[in-house]
Amino acid sequence: QSVLTQPPSVSEAPRQRVTISCSGSSSNIGNNAVNWYQQLPGKAPKLLIYYDDLLPSGVSDRFSGSKSGTSASLAISGLQSEDEADYYCAAWDDSLNVVVFGGGTKLTVL
Amino acid sequence: QVTLKESGPVLVKPTETLTLTCTVSGFSLSNARMGVSWIRQPPGKALEWLAHIFSNDEKSYSTSLKSRLTISKDTSKSQVVLTMTNMDPVDTATYYCARTHSDGYNLDYWGQGTLVTVSS
């Protein structure tokens, strides 16, 4: 059972928009930066969003992040087949003094 | 450019101690705002954060694994070492190291990972 809760899977058609939610608590998302990672099949994870809504250099602006209270979301617009991957949210937890990850969400582009 | 590379045994026996080394380049382990984390991923399962260490030797460990983990660094060698004692088959996983920012704890560069199998 992960400290951060994500839906196990989402799916959407090409060129559409999808959002992935990440639910936590006041000790993690509510008080700390949320980071998102993309893991393509068989590959190492890659930083996708940091500090809730910032894009690292080289990441497509089809990806965006947001946060409200103790929940965060990752949105992907203009879906492409190459976006099929597992997506993870993560944040520091002040109570546990650890980094906590969500359980991951598998995105399928129909 | 920034790179990280994990090295260590591919196979360990139950009860043995695992020692993994992360060799970094493109940044210094003495950088005040950066450190290195270890993360693992059992086959087909989610990422699990294990530990991190920063330049001031600040360390944090996974709550559930704290008693079995030790993280250390050798700045002169640009290496971070993770040891995990009393290995069990459930510890079979790909182990990653990643550069970590002290503000926000984002992991911006990852190694390729190394698969460690625990089996007799």
Side-chain angles (χ1 to χ4, degrees):
Chain A
Q1 187 92 9
S2 301
V3 174
L4 303 183
T5 301
Q6 299 180 234
S9 63
V10 295
S11 59
E12 187 52 88
R15 298 179 299 281
Q16 299 304 306
R17 182 177 185 272
V18 70
T19 61
I20 297 172
S21 62
C22 177
S23 178
S25 68
S26 58
S27 63
N28 42 66
I29 292 178
N31 200 40
N32 294 294
V34 177
N35 306 304
W36 289 90
Y37 302 91
Q38 177 193 58
Q39 187 176 32
L40 296 171
K43 300 293 188 182
K46 167 190 169 184
L47 180 64
L48 201 62
I49 298 285
Y50 67 105
Y51 286 139
D52 303 340
D53 58 9
L54 299 181
L55 267 66
S57 174
V59 172
S60 169
D61 60 5
R62 297 187 298 106
F63 296 92
S64 63
S66 63
K67 185 173 83 174
S68 178
T70 59
S71 293
S73 292
L74 170 71
I76 312 171
S77 60
L79 275 172
Q80 302 174 3
S81 59
E82 66 205 52
D83 298 329
E84 282 204 341
D86 292 323
Y87 293 85
Y88 294 89
C89 59
W92 178 257
D93 190 293
D94 293 326
S95 296
L96 300 174
N97 286 318
V98 299
V99 171
V100 290
F101 276 95
T105 299
K106 182 176 181 61
L107 169 64
T108 300
V109 180
L110 300 170
Chain B
Q1 82 272 24
V2 173
T3 64
L4 300 95
K5 186 172 177 62
E6 307 88 350
S7 58
V10 296
L11 179 66
V12 297
K13 291 181 167 54
T15 75
E16 287 187 340
T17 293
L18 171 68
T19 300
L20 294 172
T21 301
C22 177
T23 303
V24 310
S25 64
F27 72 102
S28 173
L29 295 177
S30 62
N31 186 310
R33 300 179 64 181
M34 292 179 188
V36 171
S37 297
W38 284 95
I39 307 96
R40 72 177 180 179
Q41 184 173 39
K45 296 190 176 182
L47 299 171
E48 178 184 17
W49 179 86
L50 299 177
H52 68 212
I53 188 167
F54 289 98
S55 61
N56 60 359
D57 219 37
E58 172 198 335
K59 304 167 189 174
S60 291
Y61 294 99
S62 160
T63 305
S64 61
L65 295 169
K66 188 171 186 174
S67 64
R68 299 173 54 205
L69 294 174
T70 302
I71 192 169
S72 62
K73 62 179 174 68
D74 185 329
T75 303
S76 65
K77 293 183 178 180
S78 296
Q79 292 181 333
V80 174
V81 174
L82 181 77
T83 62
M84 181 180 292
T85 61
N86 195 25
M87 293 293 284
D88 183 273
V90 300
D91 297 313
T92 293
T94 296
Y95 287 75
Y96 296 99
C97 61
R99 190 175 78 164
T100 306
H101 288 254
S102 60
D103 48 348
Y105 297 101
N106 59 85
L107 314 177
D108 64 346
Y109 287 91
W110 293 63
Q112 64 189 21
T114 185
L115 175 62
V116 178
T117 301
V118 184
S119 175
S120 54

